Each structure stands twice: as C-alpha cells, then as structure tokens.
C-alpha cells in the first residue's frame, strides 16, 4: 500500500485543526494561541488578513504573546514587513536576524523599529495553494522571536499547519460584501482602521487604498499610532488635511 502523500496528510491535519475552532467566538485568537503552544521554541504569533489583491488593506486577526502586538501593529502602520512581503510574493519569508540588512532590505524601517521592541527574528508564512499571489487567500501567520536564529523544520510545519487552518476558518465564515472589511473575527482595534479608511475615502473622494495611504502618511508625519489616529477620526470627528489636488465632498 502506498503511503499517503505528505501534502494530503497536512491538509487533513489543517481541516481537523480548523474544526476545533469553527463556530467559536474569535477563532483566530484561539488558533494563534494554539500555535504558540504547539511550536517548540518560544514565539509570539500574529495572524494577518489582506483584504484586497493590492494589499493596501490589511487587518491583524490575532496577536498572541508579548512581541506580536508590536510586530502586527508596525506592519499595519508602516505597510511593510515580512508578512507584507510574504503576502505580496505568495512565498514564506524567513528572517533569521532582523539586524541583517540583506535580509531586511525590502523593509528596513520595520526591521529597525521591530528591534527597538525586542523583536530579533520574524517568520511569515502565507497560506499556499498555488504560485500566483493573486490566487492566494490573503491569510498569513507570523512568528516573532526575541533571539536571532533559524526556524526549525518542525516549527515551520506547525506554523504552516495553523496558517492553513486559519484559511479554512476564513473560507467557512459568512462572505462579506465586496467593500466590507468588518469580518466578525477581526480584533476591534483593527476594525477602526478600516472604518477610518472608509470615512477618509468619502470625505476626500479617494479610493480605499489612497485613503489608507493618506491615513498612514498623517500618522507617520505626526508620530501617531495608526489605530489611535483612526479612533480620533471615527469617534472624535477628526478631519485630516486634504491631499494635494483633492477636496472634501462635505463641509
């Protein structure tokens, strides 16, 4: 009798893992914590969803452990990092040492700021079901560690298994409208960023990608956390300055 192919076994494992959390409140959080428990070395775990093909819009589904909140927030604030690269290219990004400029040349600002928060290595794994990034689900899991060094084969398999389970949970969730970014299993802190993006898009007659770029630029210019700025726009009626060549639709 022929042995079952490794890919089929891994898929079956992912299905079984996803089934444990299907129907639970905030399944991504439980999955991230489960991954953190299952890996051999000490990691923090982040799960990220890209909500459009251009990756202009991303949300953190989970930040488990002391490093993940900073790592996830930095990648969303800056629009760069290993997870962004992994989702863009559709391949894993294994950064053994964030102090290595060759490894981090595509995201030097993230690498610098991540190290300031004691993140020394990061490994981002997208859900992989084909070579074309446009056909990927947009789900990626990132492992953050406070020491440099490679990711073991066993931990790579475990992390990829949890990434694939997260994709299955997402596919099983109710489908939102095309422009609806308020998935039920988003963290509330991230939902406000997308609410602010929609408000900016309406006020300044911009696409959602342009609106998010404006939000990020203003956060960077004013040295403000992206979520804090988004909260002020949504809940305190803060208006951003008009970008050059545009004007608001309301007064």
């Amino acid at each position: 009798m022929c042995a079952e192919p490794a890919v089929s076994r891994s898929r079956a494992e992912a299905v079984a893992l996803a089934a444990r959390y299907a129907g639970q409140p905030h399944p991504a959080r439980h999955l991230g914590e489960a991954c953190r428990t299952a890996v051999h070395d000490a990691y923090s775990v982040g799960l990220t969803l890209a909500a459009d093909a251009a990756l202009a819009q991303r949300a953190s589904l989970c930040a488990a452990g002391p490093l993940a909140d900073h790592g996830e927030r930095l990648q969303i604030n800056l629009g760069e990092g290993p997870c962004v690269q992994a989702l863009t290219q559709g391949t894993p990004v294994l950064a053994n040492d964030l102090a290595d400029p060759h490894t981090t040349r595509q995201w030097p600002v993230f690498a610098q700021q991540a190290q300031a928060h004691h993140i020394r290595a990061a490994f981002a794994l997208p859900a992989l079901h084909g070579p074309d990034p446009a056909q990927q689900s947009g789900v990626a899991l990132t492992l953050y560690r406070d020491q440099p060094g490679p990711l073991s084969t066993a931990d790579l398999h475990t992390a990829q298994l949890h990434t694939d389970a997260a994709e299955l949970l997402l596919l099983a969730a109710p489908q939102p409208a095309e422009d609806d970014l308020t998935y039920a299993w988003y963290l509330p802190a991230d939902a406000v960023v997308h609410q602010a993006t929609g408000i900016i898009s309406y006020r300044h007659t911009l696409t959602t990608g342009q609106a998010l770029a404006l939000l990020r630029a203003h956060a960077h210019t004013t040295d403000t956390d992206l979520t804090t700025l988004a909260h002020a726009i949504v809940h305190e009626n803060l208006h951003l300055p008009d970008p050059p060549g545009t004007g608001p639709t309301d007064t």
Side-chain angles (χ1 to χ4, degrees):
M1 180 182 294
C2 295
E4 183 182 5
V7 172
S8 297
R9 290 199 303 272
S10 295
R11 193 62 174 171
E13 289 179 279
V15 170
L17 181 59
R20 296 182 197 173
Y21 304 104
Q24 293 188 19
H26 307 295
R29 297 186 195 180
H30 293 293
L31 196 63
E33 291 287 0
C35 181
R36 189 168 176 239
T37 301
V39 291
H40 180 268
D41 290 331
Y43 297 96
S44 294
V45 176
L47 271 169
T48 305
L49 173 68
D52 69 358
L55 302 178
Q57 299 161 333
R58 281 175 300 276
S60 176
L61 305 177
C62 165
L67 303 177
D69 186 63
H70 289 303
E72 294 290 287
R73 195 173 298 278
L74 280 174
Q75 295 197 78
I76 290 174
N77 283 2
L78 298 170
E80 68 171 45
C83 180
V84 177
Q85 182 181 341
L87 286 168
T88 303
Q89 297 179 350
T91 57
V93 174
L94 309 179
N96 299 339
D97 188 353
L98 294 184
D100 180 1
H102 177 73
T103 300
T104 63
R105 64 185 181 276
Q106 294 195 44
W107 23 274
V109 178
F110 169 84
Q112 181 184 34
Q113 295 192 22
Q115 290 179 81
H117 291 289
H118 310 292
I119 301 172
R120 295 298 310 277
F123 310 94
L125 307 171
L128 299 176
H129 293 135
D132 183 1
Q135 297 178 352
Q136 305 302 330
S137 66
V139 178
L141 180 146
T142 306
L143 300 177
Y144 301 95
R145 191 171 58 197
D146 63 2
Q147 296 292 329
L151 180 68
S152 71
T153 301
D155 283 350
L156 176 62
H157 172 77
T158 297
Q160 189 66 63
L161 173 65
H162 285 75
T163 305
D164 293 342
E167 179 192 45
L168 291 170
L169 285 171
L170 178 65
L171 292 174
Q175 292 297 307
E178 182 177 352
D179 295 327
D180 182 10
L181 301 178
T182 55
Y183 288 86
W185 50 319
Y186 274 8
L187 293 176
D190 296 303
V192 76
V193 174
H194 301 292
Q195 292 170 347
T197 298
I199 290 171
I200 295 168
S201 175
Y202 172 76
R203 287 177 177 171
H204 300 276
T205 319
L206 301 172
T207 66
T208 53
Q210 291 170 332
L212 183 57
L214 178 61
L215 181 66
R216 282 198 179 118
H218 190 77
H220 179 73
T221 301
T222 59
D223 194 25
T224 305
D225 177 75
L226 192 72
T227 301
T228 301
L229 179 61
H231 187 278
I233 291 170
V234 173
H235 298 290
E236 301 171 17
N237 201 32
L238 175 69
H239 285 242
L240 300 186
D242 293 335
T246 66
T249 61
D250 57 346
T251 56

